[in-house]
């Protein structure tokens, strides 16, 4: 028999948002206590040059941590499980991978208590945005090693009826594109759209989830566009960037009567941030994170300092919960820094885009 | 369902004159099926000094696909209406204020953005006007004589070829090297195509002006579209259209050359051959072929081959070309093209690197020369190579730059191949037979004719109509 470790803050009610400092301090005690921390973090502790239990109290303090996410490609994923969960039934929800855009995928472990907390939060967010209850969903989303499919499945169980899934393998698409085989990627996208068409034509879908490129392919087809416009109440996009012009066109011209809601997530924070409610088609698309568990900062990548509100910078993400500690991860995305909603910590982000590549290489030869 | 947001229609503005440095930016909105569209993603278009002059609304892939779907769904105007609208558009393009720019403001802005001498811009405006007036007639030059234009022609009663379109939507990836490139594609409108043009970021004004004029003259928003995009979306226009024309270098030829739905306008690599002729008598034509149009066109001579005294010829060309003055492009007397300093420096490095091993006759120490108001003029360059098959003779650059090569009958036509225009100053009939038969030479001018000679009723690189149209048999009672 092992002692079950409970912590008043980390194990607080699933619908309670803890105070920033209370959460961070409790999490530092948990992850760096030899009885409860994960083998991964306990091994790191000596190399940090500071004592997290003494020195880390706020979201801003998390910037002192090194970015460890690259190590998640190689460490045994079981070492990520905090020892404090030992002996608890069904403690592990699952192990998931990052997309694998750059190099081997990074592994993360999701514990069941985090999934419960995330689902309660998701449920509230969807209520606030009038997602219908009890309807059928269609998700064009990666399952298998990817966390997103699992979250969709749980969400449908929680508040939907039937969840139709069309699977997709983002790694294969990236491989095709990297190999210069855009035609193969096109063919694959057509294959997914064909499966989605079959569902949309025969089922009464109330909520549709898709990546922006797949959503665009769906609505390029006038028949599918009409089907979606007539039946679907909420279209949720995520998993890739949506440029402001396409978002504007979707909301004003293509699907003017459908609610179109964005989600900005990362496997590395075990969550996603939903689009702020009430934004107009031409407003910046703002995402508010599930703080203080999941927080963003928008920084100048050179100095690491925050950029002024309204300016562009690189996104840094933190995840702090009983389930995991994933601090100070500099993402490859750029965003506008936005003030968080009242009472929330960290930054909100707007108009997220891939890091801009400046300067086309100059074409020199030829007259054109 | 056109977009009708406050931002979708640009407000009328009082634009200050071109000399006012505080002038407002020229807004180059996309022109889609719902009218002008000012995107959130706008690209600053700068002049030679790097000062912003215009803003180009870049549209995303979804906009492109919806625009092309609208073009495809639209019926073409009647033939008579098309030709009348083309003529009206040509006149207003060349003489009136269009998209809030007078002809002078337009020419000035093009020369400041692209560095093209303003006289070349003005001349291209005239050429484009004439091309629009004659677009119907010129397009029909490609029609096989055995065919008729319309199935209602009585000839089909006994069975006859009818000349018909190969598709409905024609896309153009326009080039920015010369405003004259926009004189060709309007033939597609004359033939009943709906046309989508993706402008070059190097010079997006001319296409915007022309399409605005075409719309005002009667082509609806579902007949002709202006779709600026970034590189990533550019391919979507070609994919979505039925047929496309793309300007570009060897990379573009490699990418689209095998695609039967894409007409590639590749490198010009125009050349001049002197065989059994005294070059002294033809010096004017040689100099003009190299330097006319600022040397920016695909029909400018890239290489001159001679069977006598290449050294003397190179020296004479150098002397003549060296006399051209350095002037800013908006100067009426300007002849040379200009470029922003940094871009020109890269071009200069490229030239000098590739000229290694040749004998510089002009420009061997560099070709850039600063001009008042920012940027540099690209001064002429003359290099002498010592073999007819020197690789340099294929290096075509957008300013007066020529490679002078020796040639002997034993070299054959190999070094003369892959030419948009070949001016052949020779009386050797057997050689001329070979040049005219060669499929990689698009045009052969025999005698004292500059390589840039053009007339809209003769083919430039084949007739556009050869690509856009086909014949089919119609037999009726």
């Amino acid at each position: 028999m092992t002692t079950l470790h409970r912590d008043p803050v980390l194990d607080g009610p699933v619908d309670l948002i803890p105070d920033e400092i209370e959460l961070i301090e409790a999490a530092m005690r948990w992850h760096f206590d030899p009885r409860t921390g994960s083998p991964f973090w306990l091994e790191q502790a000596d190399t940090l040059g500071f004592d997290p239990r003494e020195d880390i109290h706020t979201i801003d303090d998390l910037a002192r941590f090194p970015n460890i996410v690259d190590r998640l490609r190689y460490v045994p994923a079981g070492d990520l499980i905090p020892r404090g969960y030992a002996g608890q039934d069904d403690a592990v929800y699952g192990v998931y991978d990052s997309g694998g855009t750059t190099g081997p995928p990074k592994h993360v472990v999701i514990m069941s208590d985090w999934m419960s907390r995330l689902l309660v939060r998701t449920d509230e967010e969807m209520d606030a945005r009038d997602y219908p209850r009890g309807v059928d969903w269609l998700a064009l989303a990666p399952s298998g090693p990817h966390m997103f499919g699992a979250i969709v499945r749980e969400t449908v169980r929680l508040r939907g009826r039937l969840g139709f899934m069309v699977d997709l393998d983002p790694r294969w698409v990236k491989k095709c594109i990297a190999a210069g085989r855009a035609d193969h990627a096109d063919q694959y996208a057509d294959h997914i759209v064909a499966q989605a068409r079959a569902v949309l034509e025969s089922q009464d879908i109330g909520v549709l989830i898709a990546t922006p490129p797949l959503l665009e392919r769906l609505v390029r087809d006038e028949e599918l566009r009409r089907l979606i416009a007539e039946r679907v109440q909420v279209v949720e996009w995520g998993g890739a960037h949506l440029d402001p012009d396409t978002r504007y066109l979707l909301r004003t011209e293509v699907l003017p009567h459908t609610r179109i809601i964005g989600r900005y997530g990362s496997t590395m924070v075990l969550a996603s941030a939903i689009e702020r409610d009430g934004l107009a088609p031409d407003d910046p698309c703002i995402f508010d994170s599930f703080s203080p568990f999941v927080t963003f900062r928008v920084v100048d990548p050179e100095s690491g300092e925050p950029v002024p509100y309204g300016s562009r910078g690189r996104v840094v993400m933190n995840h702090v919960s009983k389930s995991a500690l994933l601090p100070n991860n500099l993402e490859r995305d750029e965003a506008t820094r936005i003030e968080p909603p009242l009472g929330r910590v960290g930054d909100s982000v707007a108009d997220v885009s891939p890091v801009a590549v400046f300067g086309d290489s100059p074409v020199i030869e030829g007259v054109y | 369902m056109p977009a009708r947001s406050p931002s979708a229609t640009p407000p009328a503005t009082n634009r200050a004159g071109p000399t006012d440095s505080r002038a407002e930016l020229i807004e180059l909105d996309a022109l889609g099926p719902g009218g002008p569209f000012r995107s959130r993603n706008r690209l600053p278009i700068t002049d030679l000094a790097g000062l912003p002059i215009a803003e180009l609304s870049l549209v995303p892939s979804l906009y492109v696909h919806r625009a092309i779907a609208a073009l495809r769904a639209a019926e073409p105007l009647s033939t008579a209406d098309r030709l009348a609208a083309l003529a009206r558009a040509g006149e207003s393009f060349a003489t009136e204020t269009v998209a809030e720019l007078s002809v002078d403001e337009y020419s000035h802005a093009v020369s400041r953005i692209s560095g093209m001498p303003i006289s070349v811009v003005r001349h291209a405006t005239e050429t484009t006007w004439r091309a629009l007036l004659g677009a119907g007639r010129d397009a029909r030059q490609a029609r096989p004589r055995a065919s008729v234009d319309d199935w209602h022609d009585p000839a089909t009663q006994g069975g006859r070829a009818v000349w018909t379109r190969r598709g409905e939507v024609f896309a153009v990836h326009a080039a920015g090297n010369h405003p004259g490139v926009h004189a060709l594609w309007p033939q597609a409108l004359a033939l009943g195509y709906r046309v989508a043009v993706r402008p070059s970021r190097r010079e997006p004004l001319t296409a915007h002006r022309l399409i605005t004029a075409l719309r005002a003259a009667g082509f609806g928003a579902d007949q002709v579209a202006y779709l600026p995009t970034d590189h990533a979306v550019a391919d979507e226009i070609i994919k979505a259209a039925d047929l496309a024309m793309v300007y570009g270098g060897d990379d573009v030829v490699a990418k689209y050359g095998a695609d039967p739905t894409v007409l590639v306008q590749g490198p010009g690599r125009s050349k001049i051959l002197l065989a059994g002729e005294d070059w002294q008598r033809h010096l004017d034509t040689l100099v003009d072929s190299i330097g006319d149009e600022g040397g920016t066109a695909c029909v400018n001579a890239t290489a001159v081959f001679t069977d006598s005294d290449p050294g003397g010829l190179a020296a004479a060309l150098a002397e003549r070309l060296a006399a051209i003055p350095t002037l800013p492009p908006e100067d009426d007397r300007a002849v040379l093209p200009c470029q922003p300093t940094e871009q020109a420096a890269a071009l200069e490095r490229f030239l000098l690197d590739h000229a290694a091993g040749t004998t510089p006759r002009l420009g061997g120490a560099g070709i850039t020369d600063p001009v008042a108001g920012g940027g540099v003029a690209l001064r002429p360059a003359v290099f002498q190579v010592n073999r007819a098959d020197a690789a340099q003779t294929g290096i075509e650059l957008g300013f007066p730059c020529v490679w002078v090569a020796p040639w002997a009958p034993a070299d054959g036509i190999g070094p003369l191949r892959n030419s948009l225009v070949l001016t052949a100053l020779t009386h050797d009939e057997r050689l001329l037979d070979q040049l005219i038969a060669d499929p990689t030479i698009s045009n052969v001018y025999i005698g004292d004719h500059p390589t840039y000679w053009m007339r809209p009723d003769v083919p430039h690189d084949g007739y556009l109509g050869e690509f856009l149209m086909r014949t089919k048999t119609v037999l009726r009672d």
Side-chain angles (χ1 to χ4, degrees):
Chain A
M1 286 294 286
T2 319
T3 319
L4 285 188
H5 294 273
R6 295 196 63 82
D7 178 280
V9 178
L10 298 179
D11 291 303
V14 286
D15 57 349
L16 187 83
I17 303 291
D19 169 73
E20 172 195 356
I21 293 174
E22 282 183 24
L23 172 73
I24 300 290
E25 290 179 344
M28 294 303 130
R29 286 193 301 272
W30 169 262
H31 289 292
F32 293 95
D33 183 325
R35 293 165 300 174
T36 55
S38 67
F40 174 80
W41 274 116
L42 292 174
E43 195 186 306
Q44 302 279 317
D46 292 341
T47 66
L48 294 174
F50 60 91
D51 180 352
R53 289 182 288 183
E54 290 292 323
D55 301 327
I56 304 295
H57 309 279
T58 65
I59 297 296
D60 286 346
D61 292 342
L62 297 173
R64 296 187 62 179
F65 278 97
N67 185 359
I68 51 84
V69 299
D70 275 331
R71 302 202 51 201
L72 302 179
R73 301 178 200 279
Y74 311 108
V75 295
D79 286 357
L80 299 170
I81 303 171
R83 283 180 180 148
Y85 283 100
Q88 189 178 320
D89 292 338
D90 295 330
V92 175
Y93 182 83
V95 61
Y96 294 98
D97 287 5
S98 63
T101 315
T102 47
K106 294 167 279 212
H107 304 289
V108 294
V109 174
I110 298 190
M111 307 304 288
S112 299
D113 64 314
W114 173 249
M115 187 53 108
S116 307
R117 213 170 275 283
L118 187 60
L119 284 173
V120 167
R121 169 71 178 183
T122 303
D123 200 36
E124 288 168 3
E125 287 170 342
M126 290 183 171
D127 277 344
R129 287 160 185 78
D130 280 335
Y131 279 55
R133 278 190 182 271
V135 301
D136 293 348
W137 292 44
L138 168 61
L140 319 186
S143 63
H146 304 283
M147 193 176 84
F148 189 62
I151 291 179
V152 171
R153 207 169 42 245
E154 294 293 341
T155 306
V156 175
R157 280 175 58 178
L158 185 69
R159 57 180 295 135
R161 192 178 67 168
L162 301 176
F164 294 89
M165 306 290 283
V166 175
D167 205 3
L168 61 101
D169 180 355
R171 293 175 192 167
W172 177 245
V173 177
K174 283 167 189 157
K175 217 169 181 173
C176 291
I177 291 168
R181 298 309 304 259
D183 53 333
H184 286 191
D186 266 356
Q187 231 178 346
Y188 186 66
D190 287 344
H191 168 62
I192 290 168
V193 167
Q195 295 172 70
R197 178 193 303 275
V199 176
L200 284 165
E201 282 175 349
S202 61
Q203 308 297 319
D204 191 8
I205 298 299
V207 178
L208 170 66
I209 297 180
T211 62
L214 287 170
L215 178 58
E216 182 187 328
R217 278 173 186 267
L218 291 176
V219 299
R220 265 189 223 163
D221 182 300
E222 181 53 25
E223 269 176 43
L224 284 182
R225 188 202 65 77
R226 200 176 302 131
L227 269 178
I228 295 168
E230 283 167 6
R231 293 185 183 172
V232 175
Q233 296 164 63
V234 172
V235 170
E236 188 186 286
W237 58 266
H241 307 287
L242 178 63
D243 69 274
D245 286 300
T246 303
R247 174 170 170 261
Y248 174 83
L249 289 169
L250 285 169
R251 288 190 54 176
T252 57
E253 192 177 317
V254 180
L255 297 170
H257 306 298
T258 310
R259 279 197 303 292
I260 299 177
I261 296 167
R263 212 176 249 295
Y264 173 48
S266 167
T267 306
M268 290 303 112
V269 286
L270 316 180
S272 59
I274 195 163
E275 181 178 338
R276 187 175 289 182
D277 194 22
L279 298 174
D282 227 356
D283 288 338
C285 186
I286 300 172
F287 300 101
D288 300 315
S289 75
F290 183 13
S291 82
F293 297 108
V294 174
T295 45
F296 302 150
R297 287 187 304 130
V298 182
V299 303
D300 175 335
E302 299 298 317
S303 68
E305 293 300 311
V307 298
Y309 286 121
S311 297
R312 303 286 287 171
R314 285 273 288 281
V315 180
V316 174
M317 294 188 176
N318 305 300
H319 173 103
V320 181
S321 70
K322 183 179 179 186
S323 180
L325 171 63
L326 296 162
N328 200 27
N329 175 28
L330 181 68
E331 288 276 339
R332 290 175 312 141
D333 299 322
E334 256 179 15
T336 306
R337 185 182 180 215
I338 302 287
E339 280 189 75
L342 198 64
R344 308 277 283 278
V345 294
D347 292 331
S348 291
V349 297
D351 293 340
V352 181
S353 66
V355 171
V357 180
F358 291 106
D360 293 321
S361 54
V363 176
I364 291 174
E365 192 174 351
V367 294
Y368 300 127
Chain B
M1 281 168 295
R4 273 279 161 244
S5 78
S7 64
T9 313
T13 51
N14 279 326
R15 188 163 293 117
T19 51
D20 185 346
S21 63
R22 295 159 305 161
E24 271 183 65
L25 294 180
I26 299 167
E27 285 293 349
L28 299 170
D29 295 335
L31 302 172
F37 179 79
R38 186 159 304 167
S39 64
R40 284 127 208 90
N41 181 16
R42 295 200 288 276
L43 181 76
I45 303 294
T46 51
D47 75 355
L48 295 171
L51 299 172
I53 288 201
E55 261 192 336
L56 184 61
S57 276
L58 301 180
V59 297
S61 160
L62 181 60
Y63 190 92
V64 165
H65 281 274
R66 290 176 60 79
I68 289 187
L71 295 180
R72 185 171 288 111
E75 293 276 325
L77 306 177
S78 73
T79 307
D81 287 349
R82 300 197 298 257
L83 300 187
L86 281 160
R88 267 199 304 279
E91 180 173 5
S92 88
F93 175 79
T95 66
E96 294 164 14
T97 292
V98 175
E100 299 170 44
L101 292 181
S102 69
V103 180
D104 284 344
E105 287 167 333
Y106 154 75
S107 311
H108 185 270
V110 169
S111 72
R112 287 300 304 161
I113 290 169
S114 68
M116 177 74 60
I118 196 161
S119 63
V120 176
V121 180
R122 292 190 185 122
H123 184 241
T125 302
E126 295 292 316
T127 308
T128 303
W129 183 6
R130 276 200 302 280
L132 264 67
L133 262 178
R137 182 200 61 208
D138 298 335
R140 287 181 71 249
Q141 299 294 325
R143 182 173 60 88
R145 293 183 63 183
S147 66
V148 295
D149 289 303
D150 190 322
W151 70 270
H152 296 94
D153 191 299
T156 56
Q157 278 166 357
R160 188 75 177 225
V162 178
W163 206 41
T164 57
R165 289 187 291 276
R166 286 177 65 209
E168 297 299 334
V169 180
F170 179 51
V172 180
H173 270 205
N177 63 311
H178 194 293
V181 299
H182 298 286
L184 181 59
W185 60 257
Q187 288 188 17
L189 286 174
L191 293 168
Y193 273 90
R194 276 116 288 151
V195 178
V197 179
R198 178 198 181 236
S200 162
R201 301 197 285 185
R202 271 167 66 188
E203 198 277 272
L205 260 71
T206 302
H208 184 264
R209 178 177 180 82
L210 185 51
I211 290 168
T212 304
L214 286 162
R215 287 182 164 202
F219 284 101
D222 57 2
Q223 298 287 323
V224 59
Y226 177 73
L227 302 177
T229 70
D230 65 15
H231 282 297
V233 179
D235 275 350
E236 297 291 321
I237 299 182
I238 292 176
K239 270 191 232 165
D242 301 321
L243 295 174
M245 175 163 69
V246 182
Y247 291 82
D250 290 327
D251 52 332
V252 169
V253 176
K255 185 169 178 188
Y256 296 112
D259 186 337
T261 68
V262 179
L263 178 65
V264 176
Q265 304 280 292
R269 293 179 179 145
S270 298
K271 303 177 184 69
I272 297 175
L273 169 69
L274 294 124
E277 286 281 317
D278 175 7
W279 55 257
Q280 319 248 13
R281 290 177 43 225
H282 303 293
L283 204 52
D284 286 347
T285 297
L286 298 180
V287 169
D288 287 354
S289 295
I290 296 160
D292 198 78
E293 310 289 325
T296 60
C298 48
V299 290
N300 283 116
T302 297
V304 177
F305 297 81
T306 176
D307 64 354
S308 65
D309 189 21
L313 170 56
L317 289 173
E319 189 189 338
R320 288 281 299 272
L321 290 165
I324 301 175
T326 292
L327 290 167
E330 69 275 16
D331 190 303
D332 289 341
R333 300 159 301 165
V335 172
L336 298 173
C338 296
Q339 275 190 6
T341 307
E342 207 171 294
Q343 199 180 320
L347 180 70
E348 184 175 71
R349 272 197 307 279
F350 178 90
L351 170 67
L352 297 180
D353 285 352
H354 286 75
T358 69
T359 307
R361 296 290 186 167
L362 182 63
I367 48 141
T368 55
D369 193 10
V371 293
V376 295
L378 301 175
R379 298 218 32 96
V382 180
F383 290 87
Q384 190 182 340
V385 298
N386 58 14
R387 305 166 53 96
D389 60 358
Q392 284 92 348
T393 59
I395 298 179
E396 178 185 26
L397 298 172
F399 69 101
C401 175
V402 70
W403 309 90
V404 179
W407 183 88
D411 291 315
I413 68 161
L416 309 173
R417 300 183 81 223
N418 298 305
S419 302
L420 178 60
V421 180
L422 180 73
T423 286
L425 286 149
T426 179
H427 296 287
D428 182 341
E429 289 276 329
R430 203 180 117 56
L431 178 60
L432 290 171
D433 281 343
Q434 286 180 292
L435 295 174
I436 289 167
D438 189 279
T440 71
I441 300 174
S442 300
N443 305 297
V444 179
Y445 302 165
I446 303 163
D448 192 68
H449 304 290
T451 50
Y452 61 79
W453 182 90
M454 266 191 233
R455 212 176 56 211
D457 63 329
V458 296
H460 170 65
D461 189 6
Y463 282 118
L464 186 56
E466 295 170 38
F467 173 71
L468 294 177
M469 305 295 277
R470 55 165 296 184
T471 49
K472 65 174 73 170
T473 298
V474 175
L475 168 63
R476 61 183 178 121
D477 298 331

